[in-house]
Amino acid sequence: MATLQSIRSKGPLLVIVIGLALFAFIAGDAWKVLQPHQGRQDVGEVNGEKLSAQEYQQMVDEFSEVIKLTNGLNSLGEDDLNRIKDQVWNTYVTNQLIANEAEKLGLKVTDKELQAIIDEGTNPLLMQTPFRNPQTGAFDKDMLKKFLVEYANLSSSQMPAQYVEYYQKMGNFWKFVEKTLKESTLASKYQNLIAKSLISNPVAAEDAFKGRTAQSDLLLAGVPYASISDSTITVSDSEIKDLYNERKESYKQPVETRDIQFIDVHVVPSDADRAAVLQEATEYSNQLDKTTSDYAAFIRSTGSAVNYADFAINKTSLPQDVVARLDSTSINEVYGPYYNQSDDSYNAFKILAKATAPDSIQFRQIQVMADTEDKRIALADSIFDAIKGGADFAEIAKAYGQTGEAAWVDARNWEGAALDAENTTYIKTLINQPVNELKNLQLGQVNLILQVMNKKAMKPKYQVAIIKLPIEFSKETYSDAYNKFSQFVAQNTTLEDMKKNAEEAGYTVIPRSDFRSDEHYVGGIRSTQDALRWIFDAKEGEVSPLYECGENDHMMVVGLEAINKKGYVNINKVANVLKAEIIRDKKAEQLMSQMQGFNSLDQVKGMNDAVSDSVKHVTFGAPAYISVTHASEPAISAYASKAEVNKISAPIKGNAGVYMIQAYAKDNGTEEFDAKKEETSLSSMAPRYADQCIYELREKAKVTDQRYLYF
């Protein structure tokens, strides 16, 4: 029990009520949407090893709980969950690939190695656990050991059910940490093995040093490719095909994708909707003027987007539009209704009080629980009387399995939050209770023997009742938009018809190429999982049903234009890019031919549309930037490193034109060559190459990702 109380004392609001403390762990199963789809039960496969939907769901749920615990969250948003799903999948794939390679090489992580990492306590993952020394913040292995002993004896303990469940959640969290430590350590071993096999040498070190320090100052002249019209260049299909075959490996597509065209209808409030919200805000502001008590119930009844706090809070916790009007409003005066453009809302507010209150409060408490309410009240009264009579607070706390340690809590933990009645009572008690005064506070099924030890950072604060009504569309507005769009979808059942008739109907068709199944959203719109699944099950030319999506404010229809199989990209999709490169090369040939035999920059300057410039401090290690053509030119850096002073170069084919250069000064710099230092610098690049090896493993592996079936 002592370990549990020590852990629980770390979070400010975590210690308010036992039910609140547990909420971060049991509030909601973050992701319960996995369902079999068309008889298929697997979300993916790595080199023949299948991952079932149930296993994947378990991993996602497990990691979701870890994220909530380590970040002090009660729930996760849709975007957070999608990131978690991707991270879980990518980690699974990487671990599978590394485990396979490690087995071939005889690499493993023993239990003894794992224990040594825990004993050392410096691994960053350990620093994310609650098992940390309260004074130093460092990982405390003794705290962990005590917890594990208590966890092992959980079945024979007599602790309340809430504590048992908390221990079980914490035990699952530690199992996740151990598993992750083992996997990450194996990955580090594999990557280190690769990194250590990449060694530098004196020759490479000297080249790297010269490439970084040897500088050239140049004069240049050239002719941009833009000076030649593209229409004067002829490119044949065979030339495009030849270049495609030459560059084919760079056009490799690792996963299957789709080319789609879709219409997204965003439903917005009508003028009538806006007028209705203004009328509602006006009526509420009149009622607010007459209200003198139970503001919490009144504000809740208005559906205000701003939570009511029954105590004074910082300006920073109030909406900016309210803050801007506070100084021009008196206490008990209603300001509004008024329109706020930044969040498209009608508003009114009433300042109920101004006060000076602490931003930080130090307190200690003893939680009192018992089998019955009468026993709990009697026990709480007994503890309260004993401490009032001079008994030691900390000693009594220890007698009930708690530390009784003082903890600081900051106002930002409650200001702006949605608090129920019990939490509001608790916070008001902390704010208003005099320092060193003892209080026996009943909250639900727990009593708290509470003592405020200190208050600091006293600031002016405001208690404000705020009515904020976002302007939203009505059911009638949505129904009208739905009926119109559904009629369009029913009349245009092919992609060609959809594209041909959309503009006349007032809709815009949005093209999207190479859409992947792991993108979660179609067109960046939330709740488009059904549309995503349709896209990867449909045939070319088909049009989807109408999907209602977003935050219940979007409708969508999708047409499937093309299926792009895994492998090499179709030449037609890259033909324009290849053609542009061939045109550039042919322009370069023309210009280089015209410059053939030139022996001065003046001759280049005499050409049509020629440009000239001077460039200083050009090194081999960095591409030269040519301001007159607005281009980065690595070729000029390479030529400059070998150029002799005052000697004219041959024509140089660049990215934006053809140039000739003349170096007029060279400088090797003042830095002394240190072979050891340069070799060390080159060796530091090895981990990056090791990471690239992991990427190569994935590219060559047989990885199938069909998680979209279960999003």
Side-chain angles (χ1 to χ4, degrees):
M1 293 286 285
T3 304
L4 178 61
Q5 293 305 322
S6 178
I7 293 170
R8 289 166 59 81
S9 68
K10 301 305 179 288
L13 290 182
L14 199 63
V15 292
I16 294 178
V17 193
I18 193 70
L20 294 176
L22 292 172
F23 187 70
F25 303 95
I26 62 176
D29 294 320
W31 189 65
K32 296 291 185 184
V33 297
L34 292 182
Q35 296 294 334
H37 180 79
Q38 298 181 357
R40 289 176 284 191
Q41 300 291 321
D42 301 320
V43 297
E45 184 177 325
V46 182
N47 285 335
E49 187 72 24
K50 294 183 178 180
L51 178 65
S52 72
Q54 291 73 24
E55 291 170 323
Y56 180 59
Q57 177 182 348
Q58 183 178 354
M59 288 190 284
V60 170
D61 285 341
E62 179 184 54
F63 192 40
S64 297
E65 293 301 326
V66 169
I67 294 298
K68 288 193 287 186
L69 170 64
T70 55
N71 290 277
L73 301 173
N74 291 336
S75 60
L76 298 170
E78 186 176 343
D79 290 339
D80 294 325
L81 286 171
N82 283 332
R83 281 190 287 270
I84 286 171
K85 294 173 191 176
D86 289 342
Q87 188 169 345
V88 166
W89 169 253
N90 289 325
T91 300
Y92 170 78
V93 172
T94 299
N95 286 337
Q96 287 291 106
L97 297 175
I98 289 177
N100 184 53
E101 295 300 309
E103 185 178 3
K104 297 175 186 176
L105 297 167
L107 294 176
K108 60 179 65 176
V109 178
T110 65
D111 292 341
K112 187 176 180 180
E113 285 178 285
L114 191 60
Q115 188 59 52
I117 293 171
I118 295 171
D119 290 341
E120 185 180 8
T122 58
N123 189 287
L125 186 59
L126 296 174
M127 299 303 296
Q128 299 298 315
T129 71
F131 308 108
R132 299 193 302 275
N133 185 294
Q135 278 74 41
T136 65
F139 173 73
D140 190 331
K141 65 178 180 180
D142 293 328
M143 184 184 292
L144 171 63
K145 288 178 181 177
K146 289 179 182 178
F147 168 78
L148 292 177
V149 169
E150 294 171 355
Y151 178 64
N153 297 324
L154 195 59
S155 59
S156 60
S157 68
Q158 300 300 314
M159 66 178 68
Q162 296 99 321
Y163 284 93
V164 172
E165 186 161 7
Y166 182 86
Y167 264 95
Q168 289 172 338
K169 294 288 183 180
M170 286 298 298
N172 291 336
F173 168 72
W174 178 248
K175 290 176 183 176
F176 174 85
V177 172
E178 280 191 311
K179 180 185 72 173
T180 305
L181 275 175
K182 194 166 187 176
E183 290 170 344
S184 62
T185 302
L186 183 63
S188 294
K189 280 188 172 186
Y190 178 72
Q191 289 174 292
N192 285 336
L193 181 64
I194 295 172
K196 296 299 182 184
S197 68
L198 303 171
I199 58 174
S200 59
N201 59 74
V203 175
E206 187 172 4
D207 283 345
F209 176 78
K210 288 180 179 179
R212 179 170 52 84
T213 60
Q215 300 180 352
S216 302
D217 295 340
L218 310 173
L219 297 174
L220 66 80
V223 180
Y225 298 135
S227 65
I228 302 174
S229 174
D230 288 356
S231 62
T232 64
I233 307 296
T234 301
V235 178
S236 67
D237 291 343
S238 61
E239 288 176 308
I240 293 175
K241 185 176 181 180
D242 289 343
L243 184 58
Y244 173 81
N245 290 331
E246 183 181 329
R247 302 283 172 78
K248 196 170 183 179
E249 289 304 314
S250 64
Y251 294 121
K252 205 168 186 179
Q253 184 169 279
V255 296
E256 188 169 298
T257 66
R258 299 290 189 269
D259 294 345
I260 61 173
Q261 306 242 4
F262 65 95
I263 298 173
D264 168 38
V265 177
H266 185 199
V267 183
V268 297
S270 66
D271 291 341
D273 295 334
R274 292 180 174 277
V277 176
L278 174 57
Q279 181 179 352
E280 191 176 19
T282 302
E283 292 173 357
Y284 283 140
S285 64
N286 292 333
Q287 294 174 33
L288 179 61
D289 189 36
K290 298 173 184 177
T291 300
T292 58
S293 63
D294 202 1
Y295 285 96
F298 172 70
I299 294 299
R300 191 163 50 247
S301 71
T302 68
S304 174
V306 178
N307 299 312
Y308 173 74
D310 198 23
F311 42 80
I313 62 177
N314 277 297
K315 276 185 177 182
T316 53
S317 297
L318 297 171
Q320 286 300 308
D321 57 292
V322 173
V323 173
R325 295 167 172 83
L326 284 178
D327 293 338
S328 59
T329 309
S330 303
I331 291 179
N332 289 324
E333 175 190 355
V334 174
Y335 190 105
Y338 65 90
Y339 175 71
N340 183 46
Q341 185 175 8
S342 64
D343 60 5
D344 196 23
S345 65
Y346 282 111
N347 307 264
F349 67 87
K350 182 179 182 180
I351 301 177
L352 306 179
K354 296 180 182 179
T356 300
D359 248 8
S360 192
I361 302 172
Q362 186 186 40
F363 69 99
R364 59 182 179 177
Q365 66 185 23
I366 300 172
Q367 298 176 9
V368 182
M369 301 178 69
D371 295 338
T372 67
E373 182 178 357
D374 290 341
K375 288 181 180 179
R376 187 189 75 243
I377 292 173
L379 179 58
D381 290 342
S382 174
I383 294 173
F384 180 81
D385 292 340
I387 297 175
K388 288 282 283 187
D392 185 270
F393 192 104
E395 289 301 319
I396 290 184
K398 290 177 182 177
Y400 290 94
Q402 302 172 47
T403 65
E405 294 178 354
W408 285 95
V409 62
D410 295 326
R412 64 176 178 268
N413 286 292
W414 64 74
E415 291 186 350
L419 302 177
D420 59 19
E422 289 184 356
N423 270 310
T424 298
T425 299
Y426 183 83
I427 296 303
K428 289 177 69 174
T429 302
L430 285 178
I431 294 172
N432 298 322
Q433 187 170 325
V435 173
N436 293 324
E437 183 176 300
L438 199 67
K439 189 173 184 66
N440 182 355
L441 181 65
Q442 181 175 339
L443 291 176
Q445 298 181 10
V446 66
N447 275 55
L448 298 176
I449 309 302
L450 181 67
Q451 186 177 35
V452 173
M453 311 295 292
N454 196 2
K455 297 180 180 181
K456 63 181 183 180
M458 305 297 288
K459 293 183 179 179
K461 300 193 178 186
Y462 298 81
Q463 184 176 348
V464 190
I466 301 172
I467 300 168
K468 180 174 281 291
L469 304 180
I471 301 173
E472 299 174 341
F473 55 79
S474 63
K475 291 181 179 178
E476 291 76 14
T477 298
Y478 186 86
S479 179
D480 289 344
Y482 181 89
N483 290 337
K484 178 187 174 186
F485 190 48
S486 62
Q487 183 177 4
F488 172 83
V489 173
Q491 292 173 348
N492 296 274
T493 57
T494 68
L495 179 57
E496 287 306 311
D497 286 343
M498 186 180 88
K499 292 192 292 185
K500 181 175 65 176
N501 299 320
E503 185 176 357
E504 183 179 348
Y507 302 120
T508 300
V509 177
I510 304 170
R512 168 63 204 277
S513 299
D514 292 319
F515 181 75
R516 296 166 56 114
S517 66
D518 60 2
E519 293 187 37
H520 301 291
Y521 302 129
V522 181
I525 309 299
R526 294 174 182 271
S527 303
T528 47
Q529 295 92 336
D530 289 340
L532 189 152
R533 283 191 283 268
W534 178 89
I535 289 169
F536 284 87
D537 281 341
K539 297 177 181 178
E540 292 181 359
E542 289 185 340
V543 172
S544 75
L546 185 156
Y547 294 110
E548 297 178 87
C549 49
E551 304 292 337
N552 296 317
D553 60 348
H554 283 261
M555 293 177 284
M556 178 179 290
V557 65
V558 186
L560 180 60
E561 190 166 43
I563 297 173
N564 307 310
K565 296 292 187 180
K566 178 180 178 180
Y568 297 105
V569 175
N570 188 291
I571 188 172
N572 294 325
K573 298 195 72 172
V574 294
N576 288 337
V577 175
L578 296 171
K579 182 178 180 179
E581 184 176 343
I582 294 169
I583 288 174
R584 188 196 67 180
D585 289 346
K586 290 192 173 187
K587 290 179 179 181
E589 289 176 9
Q590 286 185 24
L591 294 172
M592 294 176 78
S593 175
Q594 293 173 29
M595 294 180 190
Q596 196 67 38
F598 283 8
N599 54 24
S600 74
L601 295 184
D602 287 338
Q603 290 174 292
V604 180
K605 294 177 186 178
M607 297 176 65
N608 292 334
D609 301 308
V611 295
S612 61
D613 201 357
S614 62
V615 189
K616 291 187 175 183
H617 312 305
V618 177
T619 65
F620 179 80
Y625 179 75
I626 311 303
S627 59
V628 290
T629 55
H630 308 290
S632 178
E633 298 288 9
I636 287 181
S637 297
Y639 272 84
S641 68
K642 299 298 182 182
E644 297 179 20
V645 175
N646 294 324
K647 186 174 181 180
I648 303 297
S649 74
I652 302 169
K653 175 185 172 183
N655 290 326
V658 174
Y659 311 87
M660 292 180 71
I661 64 172
Q662 181 179 355
Y664 64 87
K666 282 187 170 273
D667 181 10
N668 290 325
T670 58
E671 185 179 348
E672 293 290 331
F673 174 61
D674 183 336
K676 191 76 173 176
K677 177 182 174 182
E678 294 298 324
E679 288 186 45
T680 300
S681 178
L682 288 175
S683 296
S684 68
M685 300 291 289
R688 186 183 302 177
Y689 299 138
D691 289 340
Q692 182 65 26
C693 287
I694 302 297
Y695 175 79
E696 292 294 334
L697 280 179
R698 185 160 184 159
E699 284 293 292
K700 294 179 180 179
K702 294 180 180 179
V703 178
T704 302
D705 178 5
Q706 55 184 36
R707 292 176 297 135
Y708 73 92
L709 295 172
Y710 307 90
F711 282 163

